[in-house]
Amino acid sequence: MVAVTPVDPSASASASRPRGWSIVLRGVSRERAGRRVLHDIDLDIEPGTIVAIVGPSGCGASTLLRLVAGAERADAGIVSVDGRIGATAPRICQVGDRVPAARFARVQASVTAAARNADVLDAADEAARLCALVGLESPDAVVSRLAQGDRQRWALARALARRPRAVALDDALAALHTAARIRTRDRLARELRERGVTTLWATRDTAEAAAVADELVVMDGGRIVDRGSPAEVYARVENAAVAEVLGPVSTVPGIVEGTVVEVWGQRLPLARAAHDGHCEVVVRPEHVVLVGADAPGIDAVVEQTTFLGSVRRSTVVTGDGRRVLLEHAADRRLDDEARVRIALAPVPANVLARA
């Protein structure tokens, strides 16, 4: 008797699924109107991974995506897609924050056409599924009459219908309001990951980037200034500009002594080795706490408070004139000009050497 090993249908489907393309950039630079907008970019993107790019306005992320998608050419360096360069490289589908549309195209019919062109079986059913996935509620609507947010949803559904091996998303959820954006973000990331689609995802929303990324890339001034997993990049602060991109921060004076830093009468462990002496301690709002009058810390005066839903974010001015952001319970309202005392949570501290 011959033993028969059962076949896992999901494993079979996974094995037959097309693999995402690898994307490699080496020494890529780009000038526009005589100004360098990208400087010697080196980046390796493994097949099937989601790489999120964040940075301040003008950081070069949109230009980088256009080069990868083949919409622009680099002035120097090489862009390789699936091991191919130049005219032989496959074109990558790109969805941006502004979406042009044919005047009379209808939502689901145009998504169905894209699926049919990609030889998708049951193209109409797949189009209906994708429209539901991105939250399109009017399948017969004329695309050109959609609000900008729904037009972005349509562009995403159409891109997915083409069965892409790689996509470039340039703030492709920017026009959606908060709750819908989070819902669509999660569904889209799950779909891309399940299909193994290699994804470059540029966004101004750092929470979105951290939520979707296998790897997070921080850009500033046309350069990559940090990269790693979202947790690694968030915890690692090489300079104040990177810290600010990933969320509001404050800097306060401290003194490094060996493996600890002294700040506000507290001694905190260092997140990484630093030279002894005066420094600036980079502080995130969630690591600043309100304490009693006799506790180690520093006195401060409340400048303003903002309600953020689950928490409040307050700005205080310390006795030495530093503005510090802190987050605290939403039900604890701090009046302007109120006197408080603040301290740092006992977590490893990131420091910057003073110039």
mmCIF file of all heavy atoms in Angstrom, residues 264 266 283-305 311-318 324-335 338-346:
data_model
loop_
_atom_site.group_PDB
_atom_site.id
_atom_site.type_symbol
_atom_site.label_atom_id
_atom_site.label_comp_id
_atom_site.label_asym_id
_atom_site.label_seq_id
_atom_site.Cartn_x
_atom_site.Cartn_y
_atom_site.Cartn_z
ATOM 1 N N TRP A 264 17.342 66.346 35.082
ATOM 2 C CA TRP A 264 16.311 66.736 36.057
ATOM 3 C C TRP A 264 16.444 65.976 37.379
ATOM 4 O O TRP A 264 15.464 65.610 38.021
ATOM 5 C CB TRP A 264 14.910 66.518 35.491
ATOM 6 C CG TRP A 264 14.591 67.305 34.267
ATOM 7 C CD1 TRP A 264 15.249 68.387 33.770
ATOM 8 C CD2 TRP A 264 13.506 67.049 33.365
ATOM 9 N NE1 TRP A 264 14.657 68.833 32.618
ATOM 10 C CE2 TRP A 264 13.589 68.036 32.347
ATOM 11 C CE3 TRP A 264 12.490 66.111 33.298
ATOM 12 C CZ2 TRP A 264 12.672 68.095 31.280
ATOM 13 C CZ3 TRP A 264 11.586 66.160 32.261
ATOM 14 C CH2 TRP A 264 11.671 67.152 31.260
ATOM 15 N N GLN A 266 17.391 62.977 37.759
ATOM 16 C CA GLN A 266 17.201 61.542 37.547
ATOM 17 C C GLN A 266 18.422 60.966 36.829
ATOM 18 O O GLN A 266 19.096 61.670 36.071
ATOM 19 C CB GLN A 266 15.964 61.282 36.691
ATOM 20 C CG GLN A 266 14.658 61.776 37.268
ATOM 21 C CD GLN A 266 13.514 61.587 36.278
ATOM 22 O OE1 GLN A 266 13.123 62.522 35.597
ATOM 23 N NE2 GLN A 266 12.993 60.363 36.194
ATOM 24 N N VAL A 283 13.415 63.511 23.965
ATOM 25 C CA VAL A 283 12.310 63.039 24.806
ATOM 26 C C VAL A 283 11.025 62.996 23.989
ATOM 27 O O VAL A 283 10.626 64.002 23.376
ATOM 28 C CB VAL A 283 12.112 63.976 26.023
ATOM 29 C CG1 VAL A 283 10.953 63.482 26.887
ATOM 30 C CG2 VAL A 283 13.394 64.071 26.831
ATOM 31 N N ARG A 284 10.363 61.859 23.985
ATOM 32 C CA ARG A 284 9.055 61.740 23.343
ATOM 33 C C ARG A 284 7.959 62.042 24.367
ATOM 34 O O ARG A 284 8.125 61.779 25.565
ATOM 35 C CB ARG A 284 8.874 60.346 22.765
ATOM 36 C CG ARG A 284 9.889 60.035 21.670
ATOM 37 C CD ARG A 284 9.473 58.831 20.847
ATOM 38 N NE ARG A 284 10.454 58.553 19.820
ATOM 39 C CZ ARG A 284 10.531 59.186 18.652
ATOM 40 N NH1 ARG A 284 9.657 60.135 18.376
ATOM 41 N NH2 ARG A 284 11.456 58.884 17.765
ATOM 42 N N PRO A 285 6.815 62.586 23.902
ATOM 43 C CA PRO A 285 5.759 62.998 24.838
ATOM 44 C C PRO A 285 5.289 61.888 25.770
ATOM 45 O O PRO A 285 4.982 62.141 26.937
ATOM 46 C CB PRO A 285 4.630 63.457 23.911
ATOM 47 C CG PRO A 285 5.305 63.842 22.647
ATOM 48 C CD PRO A 285 6.470 62.913 22.515
ATOM 49 N N GLU A 286 5.250 60.653 25.272
ATOM 50 C CA GLU A 286 4.742 59.560 26.103
ATOM 51 C C GLU A 286 5.712 59.159 27.206
ATOM 52 O O GLU A 286 5.355 58.382 28.108
ATOM 53 C CB GLU A 286 4.408 58.332 25.234
ATOM 54 C CG GLU A 286 5.578 57.730 24.490
ATOM 55 C CD GLU A 286 5.781 58.288 23.092
ATOM 56 O OE1 GLU A 286 5.409 59.464 22.863
ATOM 57 O OE2 GLU A 286 6.305 57.556 22.236
ATOM 58 N N HIS A 287 6.945 59.699 27.159
ATOM 59 C CA HIS A 287 7.938 59.370 28.184
ATOM 60 C C HIS A 287 8.081 60.478 29.221
ATOM 61 O O HIS A 287 8.983 60.419 30.065
ATOM 62 C CB HIS A 287 9.290 59.076 27.544
ATOM 63 C CG HIS A 287 9.287 57.849 26.691
ATOM 64 N ND1 HIS A 287 10.157 57.649 25.643
ATOM 65 C CD2 HIS A 287 8.495 56.748 26.722
ATOM 66 C CE1 HIS A 287 9.903 56.483 25.075
ATOM 67 N NE2 HIS A 287 8.899 55.921 25.716
ATOM 68 N N VAL A 288 7.232 61.499 29.162
ATOM 69 C CA VAL A 288 7.217 62.567 30.160
ATOM 70 C C VAL A 288 5.998 62.350 31.052
ATOM 71 O O VAL A 288 4.888 62.146 30.559
ATOM 72 C CB VAL A 288 7.152 63.959 29.502
ATOM 73 C CG1 VAL A 288 7.211 65.048 30.565
ATOM 74 C CG2 VAL A 288 8.290 64.134 28.497
ATOM 75 N N VAL A 289 6.206 62.373 32.366
ATOM 76 C CA VAL A 289 5.115 62.073 33.297
ATOM 77 C C VAL A 289 4.951 63.210 34.298
ATOM 78 O O VAL A 289 5.910 63.923 34.627
ATOM 79 C CB VAL A 289 5.365 60.746 34.044
ATOM 80 C CG1 VAL A 289 5.345 59.580 33.066
ATOM 81 C CG2 VAL A 289 6.688 60.769 34.802
ATOM 82 N N LEU A 290 3.723 63.375 34.764
ATOM 83 C CA LEU A 290 3.419 64.325 35.823
ATOM 84 C C LEU A 290 3.711 63.666 37.163
ATOM 85 O O LEU A 290 3.324 62.515 37.397
ATOM 86 C CB LEU A 290 1.957 64.755 35.746
ATOM 87 C CG LEU A 290 1.558 65.532 34.482
ATOM 88 C CD1 LEU A 290 0.044 65.544 34.305
ATOM 89 C CD2 LEU A 290 2.104 66.953 34.534
ATOM 90 N N VAL A 291 4.419 64.382 38.059
ATOM 91 C CA VAL A 291 4.795 63.812 39.350
ATOM 92 C C VAL A 291 4.443 64.782 40.465
ATOM 93 O O VAL A 291 4.100 65.947 40.227
ATOM 94 C CB VAL A 291 6.301 63.469 39.392
ATOM 95 C CG1 VAL A 291 6.633 62.371 38.386
ATOM 96 C CG2 VAL A 291 7.156 64.706 39.146
ATOM 97 N N GLY A 292 4.561 64.289 41.690
ATOM 98 C CA GLY A 292 4.283 65.116 42.857
ATOM 99 C C GLY A 292 5.354 66.158 43.096
ATOM 100 O O GLY A 292 6.472 66.087 42.560
ATOM 101 N N ALA A 293 5.046 67.111 43.968
ATOM 102 C CA ALA A 293 5.930 68.258 44.196
ATOM 103 C C ALA A 293 7.286 67.865 44.768
ATOM 104 O O ALA A 293 8.289 68.557 44.542
ATOM 105 C CB ALA A 293 5.234 69.255 45.127
ATOM 106 N N ASP A 294 7.351 66.737 45.500
ATOM 107 C CA ASP A 294 8.608 66.346 46.136
ATOM 108 C C ASP A 294 9.400 65.314 45.337
ATOM 109 O O ASP A 294 10.480 64.899 45.764
ATOM 110 C CB ASP A 294 8.316 65.779 47.529
ATOM 111 C CG ASP A 294 7.683 66.824 48.448
ATOM 112 O OD1 ASP A 294 7.999 68.016 48.280
ATOM 113 O OD2 ASP A 294 6.866 66.436 49.308
ATOM 114 N N ALA A 295 8.884 64.878 44.201
ATOM 115 C CA ALA A 295 9.548 63.843 43.410
ATOM 116 C C ALA A 295 10.676 64.436 42.572
ATOM 117 O O ALA A 295 10.665 65.631 42.248
ATOM 118 C CB ALA A 295 8.535 63.151 42.503
ATOM 119 N N PRO A 296 11.690 63.624 42.217
ATOM 120 C CA PRO A 296 12.719 64.110 41.285
ATOM 121 C C PRO A 296 12.066 64.576 39.988
ATOM 122 O O PRO A 296 11.108 63.969 39.499
ATOM 123 C CB PRO A 296 13.596 62.876 41.045
ATOM 124 C CG PRO A 296 13.365 62.012 42.238
ATOM 125 C CD PRO A 296 11.934 62.230 42.631
ATOM 126 N N GLY A 297 12.557 65.666 39.427
ATOM 127 C CA GLY A 297 11.975 66.211 38.209
ATOM 128 C C GLY A 297 12.253 67.695 38.120
ATOM 129 O O GLY A 297 13.232 68.195 38.688
ATOM 130 N N ILE A 298 11.386 68.416 37.419
ATOM 131 C CA ILE A 298 11.571 69.847 37.240
ATOM 132 C C ILE A 298 10.210 70.527 37.210
ATOM 133 O O ILE A 298 9.231 69.968 36.714
ATOM 134 C CB ILE A 298 12.359 70.138 35.936
ATOM 135 C CG1 ILE A 298 12.777 71.604 35.859
ATOM 136 C CG2 ILE A 298 11.548 69.731 34.697
ATOM 137 C CD1 ILE A 298 13.784 71.889 34.733
ATOM 138 N N ASP A 299 10.150 71.726 37.778
ATOM 139 C CA ASP A 299 8.907 72.496 37.770
ATOM 140 C C ASP A 299 8.687 73.111 36.398
ATOM 141 O O ASP A 299 9.642 73.439 35.671
ATOM 142 C CB ASP A 299 8.957 73.601 38.826
ATOM 143 C CG ASP A 299 8.970 73.050 40.246
ATOM 144 O OD1 ASP A 299 8.314 72.011 40.466
ATOM 145 O OD2 ASP A 299 9.643 73.650 41.117
ATOM 146 N N ALA A 300 7.421 73.259 36.032
ATOM 147 C CA ALA A 300 7.080 73.803 34.714
ATOM 148 C C ALA A 300 5.734 74.501 34.786
ATOM 149 O O ALA A 300 4.959 74.317 35.732
ATOM 150 C CB ALA A 300 7.037 72.687 33.673
ATOM 151 N N VAL A 301 5.467 75.308 33.758
ATOM 152 C CA VAL A 301 4.201 76.029 33.631
ATOM 153 C C VAL A 301 3.518 75.585 32.341
ATOM 154 O O VAL A 301 4.158 75.508 31.283
ATOM 155 C CB VAL A 301 4.426 77.561 33.610
ATOM 156 C CG1 VAL A 301 3.105 78.296 33.379
ATOM 157 C CG2 VAL A 301 5.071 78.020 34.913
ATOM 158 N N VAL A 302 2.229 75.268 32.408
ATOM 159 C CA VAL A 302 1.481 74.795 31.248
ATOM 160 C C VAL A 302 1.264 75.947 30.266
ATOM 161 O O VAL A 302 0.801 77.022 30.641
ATOM 162 C CB VAL A 302 0.123 74.210 31.677
ATOM 163 C CG1 VAL A 302 -0.685 73.780 30.445
ATOM 164 C CG2 VAL A 302 0.329 73.042 32.623
ATOM 165 N N GLU A 303 1.626 75.691 29.011
ATOM 166 C CA GLU A 303 1.429 76.694 27.962
ATOM 167 C C GLU A 303 0.137 76.436 27.198
ATOM 168 O O GLU A 303 -0.638 77.354 26.935
ATOM 169 C CB GLU A 303 2.620 76.679 27.009
ATOM 170 C CG GLU A 303 2.615 77.800 25.984
ATOM 171 C CD GLU A 303 3.897 77.816 25.184
ATOM 172 O OE1 GLU A 303 4.089 76.935 24.323
ATOM 173 O OE2 GLU A 303 4.731 78.722 25.428
ATOM 174 N N GLN A 304 -0.108 75.174 26.835
ATOM 175 C CA GLN A 304 -1.358 74.826 26.160
ATOM 176 C C GLN A 304 -1.595 73.326 26.246
ATOM 177 O O GLN A 304 -0.676 72.555 26.479
ATOM 178 C CB GLN A 304 -1.347 75.255 24.689
ATOM 179 C CG GLN A 304 -0.332 74.524 23.824
ATOM 180 C CD GLN A 304 -0.419 74.923 22.361
ATOM 181 O OE1 GLN A 304 -0.903 75.995 22.031
ATOM 182 N NE2 GLN A 304 0.055 74.053 21.501
ATOM 183 N N THR A 305 -2.857 72.928 26.056
ATOM 184 C CA THR A 305 -3.246 71.527 26.093
ATOM 185 C C THR A 305 -4.146 71.231 24.907
ATOM 186 O O THR A 305 -5.038 72.029 24.593
ATOM 187 C CB THR A 305 -3.982 71.189 27.406
ATOM 188 O OG1 THR A 305 -3.092 71.376 28.504
ATOM 189 C CG2 THR A 305 -4.475 69.754 27.410
ATOM 190 N N VAL A 311 -5.894 60.532 24.670
ATOM 191 C CA VAL A 311 -4.962 61.231 25.562
ATOM 192 C C VAL A 311 -5.058 62.733 25.310
ATOM 193 O O VAL A 311 -5.690 63.175 24.346
ATOM 194 C CB VAL A 311 -3.493 60.781 25.334
ATOM 195 C CG1 VAL A 311 -3.298 59.326 25.660
ATOM 196 C CG2 VAL A 311 -3.055 61.089 23.900
ATOM 197 N N ARG A 312 -4.431 63.486 26.187
ATOM 198 C CA ARG A 312 -4.198 64.905 25.940
ATOM 199 C C ARG A 312 -2.697 65.128 25.758
ATOM 200 O O ARG A 312 -1.886 64.463 26.406
ATOM 201 C CB ARG A 312 -4.693 65.768 27.117
ATOM 202 C CG ARG A 312 -6.196 65.824 27.260
ATOM 203 C CD ARG A 312 -6.600 66.751 28.396
ATOM 204 N NE ARG A 312 -8.022 66.707 28.630
ATOM 205 C CZ ARG A 312 -8.932 67.465 28.002
ATOM 206 N NH1 ARG A 312 -8.507 68.362 27.123
ATOM 207 N NH2 ARG A 312 -10.205 67.355 28.261
ATOM 208 N N ARG A 313 -2.347 66.039 24.871
ATOM 209 C CA ARG A 313 -0.951 66.427 24.696
ATOM 210 C C ARG A 313 -0.808 67.876 25.158
ATOM 211 O O ARG A 313 -1.487 68.767 24.638
ATOM 212 C CB ARG A 313 -0.499 66.279 23.249
ATOM 213 C CG ARG A 313 0.969 66.654 23.033
ATOM 214 C CD ARG A 313 1.411 66.375 21.617
ATOM 215 N NE ARG A 313 1.379 64.941 21.340
ATOM 216 C CZ ARG A 313 1.267 64.430 20.126
ATOM 217 N NH1 ARG A 313 1.137 65.236 19.072
ATOM 218 N NH2 ARG A 313 1.264 63.125 19.948
ATOM 219 N N SER A 314 0.063 68.079 26.121
ATOM 220 C CA SER A 314 0.264 69.409 26.677
ATOM 221 C C SER A 314 1.679 69.900 26.401
ATOM 222 O O SER A 314 2.625 69.105 26.327
ATOM 223 C CB SER A 314 0.020 69.406 28.188
ATOM 224 O OG SER A 314 -1.319 69.070 28.486
ATOM 225 N N THR A 315 1.819 71.194 26.238
ATOM 226 C CA THR A 315 3.123 71.839 26.127
ATOM 227 C C THR A 315 3.370 72.608 27.412
ATOM 228 O O THR A 315 2.526 73.400 27.841
ATOM 229 C CB THR A 315 3.169 72.808 24.943
ATOM 230 O OG1 THR A 315 2.826 72.121 23.737
ATOM 231 C CG2 THR A 315 4.551 73.422 24.792
ATOM 232 N N VAL A 316 4.508 72.338 28.040
ATOM 233 C CA VAL A 316 4.872 73.065 29.253
ATOM 234 C C VAL A 316 6.224 73.730 29.043
ATOM 235 O O VAL A 316 7.023 73.309 28.207
ATOM 236 C CB VAL A 316 4.919 72.123 30.481
ATOM 237 C CG1 VAL A 316 3.564 71.448 30.693
ATOM 238 C CG2 VAL A 316 6.023 71.074 30.336
ATOM 239 N N VAL A 317 6.462 74.794 29.807
ATOM 240 C CA VAL A 317 7.750 75.490 29.778
ATOM 241 C C VAL A 317 8.433 75.254 31.119
ATOM 242 O O VAL A 317 7.874 75.582 32.177
ATOM 243 C CB VAL A 317 7.577 76.997 29.511
ATOM 244 C CG1 VAL A 317 8.935 77.682 29.480
ATOM 245 C CG2 VAL A 317 6.845 77.227 28.199
ATOM 246 N N THR A 318 9.597 74.639 31.073
ATOM 247 C CA THR A 318 10.309 74.302 32.311
ATOM 248 C C THR A 318 10.984 75.530 32.907
ATOM 249 O O THR A 318 11.086 76.586 32.267
ATOM 250 C CB THR A 318 11.364 73.220 32.034
ATOM 251 O OG1 THR A 318 12.335 73.738 31.111
ATOM 252 C CG2 THR A 318 10.717 71.973 31.445
ATOM 253 N N VAL A 324 8.532 71.547 26.547
ATOM 254 C CA VAL A 324 8.496 70.087 26.599
ATOM 255 C C VAL A 324 7.066 69.623 26.352
ATOM 256 O O VAL A 324 6.113 70.158 26.931
ATOM 257 C CB VAL A 324 8.990 69.572 27.972
ATOM 258 C CG1 VAL A 324 8.890 68.049 28.033
ATOM 259 C CG2 VAL A 324 10.421 70.023 28.224
ATOM 260 N N LEU A 325 6.936 68.618 25.487
ATOM 261 C CA LEU A 325 5.635 68.012 25.213
ATOM 262 C C LEU A 325 5.448 66.792 26.100
ATOM 263 O O LEU A 325 6.376 66.008 26.287
ATOM 264 C CB LEU A 325 5.553 67.585 23.747
ATOM 265 C CG LEU A 325 5.591 68.690 22.694
ATOM 266 C CD1 LEU A 325 5.774 68.075 21.316
ATOM 267 C CD2 LEU A 325 4.319 69.507 22.729
ATOM 268 N N LEU A 326 4.236 66.628 26.623
ATOM 269 C CA LEU A 326 3.927 65.417 27.372
ATOM 270 C C LEU A 326 2.524 64.959 27.043
ATOM 271 O O LEU A 326 1.662 65.765 26.662
ATOM 272 C CB LEU A 326 4.056 65.632 28.875
ATOM 273 C CG LEU A 326 3.028 66.519 29.575
ATOM 274 C CD1 LEU A 326 2.762 66.008 30.979
ATOM 275 C CD2 LEU A 326 3.539 67.966 29.643
ATOM 276 N N GLU A 327 2.307 63.657 27.140
ATOM 277 C CA GLU A 327 0.980 63.091 26.952
ATOM 278 C C GLU A 327 0.502 62.523 28.280
ATOM 279 O O GLU A 327 1.272 61.899 29.011
ATOM 280 C CB GLU A 327 1.004 61.999 25.873
ATOM 281 C CG GLU A 327 1.231 62.557 24.483
ATOM 282 C CD GLU A 327 1.270 61.491 23.398
ATOM 283 O OE1 GLU A 327 1.236 60.290 23.758
ATOM 284 O OE2 GLU A 327 1.357 61.844 22.220
ATOM 285 N N HIS A 328 -0.772 62.768 28.572
ATOM 286 C CA HIS A 328 -1.326 62.321 29.845
ATOM 287 C C HIS A 328 -2.778 61.935 29.642
ATOM 288 O O HIS A 328 -3.345 62.111 28.549
ATOM 289 C CB HIS A 328 -1.190 63.417 30.905
ATOM 290 C CG HIS A 328 -1.702 64.758 30.489
ATOM 291 N ND1 HIS A 328 -2.997 65.158 30.709
ATOM 292 C CD2 HIS A 328 -1.098 65.790 29.834
ATOM 293 C CE1 HIS A 328 -3.164 66.389 30.231
ATOM 294 N NE2 HIS A 328 -2.025 66.788 29.698
ATOM 295 N N ALA A 329 -3.386 61.381 30.688
ATOM 296 C CA ALA A 329 -4.755 60.886 30.588
ATOM 297 C C ALA A 329 -5.699 61.978 30.102
ATOM 298 O O ALA A 329 -5.597 63.142 30.504
ATOM 299 C CB ALA A 329 -5.211 60.364 31.946
ATOM 300 N N ALA A 330 -6.627 61.574 29.232
ATOM 301 C CA ALA A 330 -7.551 62.545 28.641
ATOM 302 C C ALA A 330 -8.434 63.200 29.683
ATOM 303 O O ALA A 330 -8.876 64.351 29.507
ATOM 304 C CB ALA A 330 -8.409 61.854 27.578
ATOM 305 N N ASP A 331 -8.709 62.506 30.773
ATOM 306 C CA ASP A 331 -9.607 63.071 31.783
ATOM 307 C C ASP A 331 -8.877 64.007 32.752
ATOM 308 O O ASP A 331 -9.496 64.568 33.663
ATOM 309 C CB ASP A 331 -10.326 61.968 32.565
ATOM 310 C CG ASP A 331 -9.358 61.022 33.274
ATOM 311 O OD1 ASP A 331 -8.134 61.240 33.162
ATOM 312 O OD2 ASP A 331 -9.836 60.075 33.914
ATOM 313 N N ARG A 332 -7.567 64.181 32.564
ATOM 314 C CA ARG A 332 -6.817 65.131 33.395
ATOM 315 C C ARG A 332 -6.525 66.380 32.584
ATOM 316 O O ARG A 332 -5.576 66.427 31.808
ATOM 317 C CB ARG A 332 -5.532 64.517 33.920
ATOM 318 C CG ARG A 332 -4.788 65.485 34.840
ATOM 319 C CD ARG A 332 -3.664 64.832 35.581
ATOM 320 N NE ARG A 332 -3.037 65.774 36.507
ATOM 321 C CZ ARG A 332 -2.007 65.482 37.299
ATOM 322 N NH1 ARG A 332 -1.509 64.257 37.286
ATOM 323 N NH2 ARG A 332 -1.494 66.391 38.105
ATOM 324 N N ARG A 333 -7.344 67.377 32.749
ATOM 325 C CA ARG A 333 -7.178 68.611 31.986
ATOM 326 C C ARG A 333 -6.256 69.559 32.747
ATOM 327 O O ARG A 333 -6.433 69.770 33.948
ATOM 328 C CB ARG A 333 -8.533 69.279 31.754
ATOM 329 C CG ARG A 333 -8.441 70.510 30.880
ATOM 330 C CD ARG A 333 -9.794 71.172 30.694
ATOM 331 N NE ARG A 333 -9.672 72.332 29.826
ATOM 332 C CZ ARG A 333 -9.829 72.290 28.516
ATOM 333 N NH1 ARG A 333 -10.135 71.134 27.933
ATOM 334 N NH2 ARG A 333 -9.686 73.361 27.778
ATOM 335 N N LEU A 334 -5.274 70.098 32.057
ATOM 336 C CA LEU A 334 -4.352 71.065 32.637
ATOM 337 C C LEU A 334 -4.694 72.458 32.133
ATOM 338 O O LEU A 334 -4.697 72.686 30.918
ATOM 339 C CB LEU A 334 -2.906 70.709 32.281
ATOM 340 C CG LEU A 334 -2.402 69.337 32.736
ATOM 341 C CD1 LEU A 334 -0.960 69.135 32.294
ATOM 342 C CD2 LEU A 334 -2.516 69.188 34.246
ATOM 343 N N ASP A 335 -4.987 73.362 33.031
ATOM 344 C CA ASP A 335 -5.325 74.729 32.632
ATOM 345 C C ASP A 335 -4.069 75.483 32.220
ATOM 346 O O ASP A 335 -2.966 75.236 32.743
ATOM 347 C CB ASP A 335 -6.009 75.467 33.787
ATOM 348 C CG ASP A 335 -7.347 74.846 34.152
ATOM 349 O OD1 ASP A 335 -8.021 74.336 33.231
ATOM 350 O OD2 ASP A 335 -7.713 74.871 35.341
ATOM 351 N N ALA A 338 -1.121 76.805 34.563
ATOM 352 C CA ALA A 338 -1.055 75.972 35.760
ATOM 353 C C ALA A 338 0.395 75.556 36.016
ATOM 354 O O ALA A 338 1.178 75.361 35.083
ATOM 355 C CB ALA A 338 -1.937 74.747 35.607
ATOM 356 N N ARG A 339 0.738 75.417 37.289
ATOM 357 C CA ARG A 339 2.084 74.989 37.652
ATOM 358 C C ARG A 339 2.068 73.480 37.903
ATOM 359 O O ARG A 339 1.209 72.971 38.622
ATOM 360 C CB ARG A 339 2.581 75.739 38.890
ATOM 361 C CG ARG A 339 2.742 77.234 38.617
ATOM 362 C CD ARG A 339 3.378 77.960 39.792
ATOM 363 N NE ARG A 339 3.584 79.356 39.470
ATOM 364 C CZ ARG A 339 4.625 79.831 38.786
ATOM 365 N NH1 ARG A 339 5.568 78.985 38.353
ATOM 366 N NH2 ARG A 339 4.740 81.117 38.519
ATOM 367 N N VAL A 340 3.024 72.774 37.288
ATOM 368 C CA VAL A 340 3.106 71.321 37.415
ATOM 369 C C VAL A 340 4.563 70.927 37.634
ATOM 370 O O VAL A 340 5.469 71.754 37.539
ATOM 371 C CB VAL A 340 2.566 70.616 36.146
ATOM 372 C CG1 VAL A 340 1.086 70.898 35.946
ATOM 373 C CG2 VAL A 340 3.366 71.032 34.905
ATOM 374 N N ARG A 341 4.763 69.652 37.932
ATOM 375 C CA ARG A 341 6.123 69.120 38.010
ATOM 376 C C ARG A 341 6.177 67.890 37.116
ATOM 377 O O ARG A 341 5.277 67.048 37.143
ATOM 378 C CB ARG A 341 6.496 68.759 39.444
ATOM 379 C CG ARG A 341 7.981 68.402 39.630
ATOM 380 C CD ARG A 341 8.358 68.365 41.098
ATOM 381 N NE ARG A 341 9.755 68.005 41.313
ATOM 382 C CZ ARG A 341 10.786 68.852 41.226
ATOM 383 N NH1 ARG A 341 10.555 70.136 40.918
ATOM 384 N NH2 ARG A 341 12.029 68.462 41.440
ATOM 385 N N ILE A 342 7.225 67.803 36.316
ATOM 386 C CA ILE A 342 7.344 66.707 35.360
ATOM 387 C C ILE A 342 8.653 65.949 35.582
ATOM 388 O O ILE A 342 9.609 66.486 36.144
ATOM 389 C CB ILE A 342 7.271 67.201 33.897
ATOM 390 C CG1 ILE A 342 8.392 68.206 33.597
ATOM 391 C CG2 ILE A 342 5.897 67.784 33.588
ATOM 392 C CD1 ILE A 342 8.488 68.616 32.135
ATOM 393 N N ALA A 343 8.646 64.701 35.140
ATOM 394 C CA ALA A 343 9.847 63.853 35.202
ATOM 395 C C ALA A 343 9.849 62.962 33.975
ATOM 396 O O ALA A 343 8.894 62.957 33.181
ATOM 397 C CB ALA A 343 9.850 63.031 36.488
ATOM 398 N N LEU A 344 10.923 62.193 33.819
ATOM 399 C CA LEU A 344 11.026 61.272 32.696
ATOM 400 C C LEU A 344 10.747 59.844 33.169
ATOM 401 O O LEU A 344 11.168 59.447 34.260
ATOM 402 C CB LEU A 344 12.422 61.337 32.070
ATOM 403 C CG LEU A 344 12.801 62.675 31.436
ATOM 404 C CD1 LEU A 344 14.192 62.573 30.812
ATOM 405 C CD2 LEU A 344 11.793 63.109 30.395
ATOM 406 N N ALA A 345 10.044 59.091 32.334
ATOM 407 C CA ALA A 345 9.804 57.688 32.620
ATOM 408 C C ALA A 345 11.144 56.942 32.613
ATOM 409 O O ALA A 345 12.075 57.325 31.881
ATOM 410 C CB ALA A 345 8.863 57.090 31.579
ATOM 411 N N PRO A 346 11.283 55.893 33.414
ATOM 412 C CA PRO A 346 12.571 55.176 33.515
ATOM 413 C C PRO A 346 12.812 54.250 32.331
ATOM 414 O O PRO A 346 12.782 53.027 32.437
ATOM 415 C CB PRO A 346 12.409 54.385 34.823
ATOM 416 C CG PRO A 346 10.937 54.144 34.927
ATOM 417 C CD PRO A 346 10.276 55.376 34.352
#
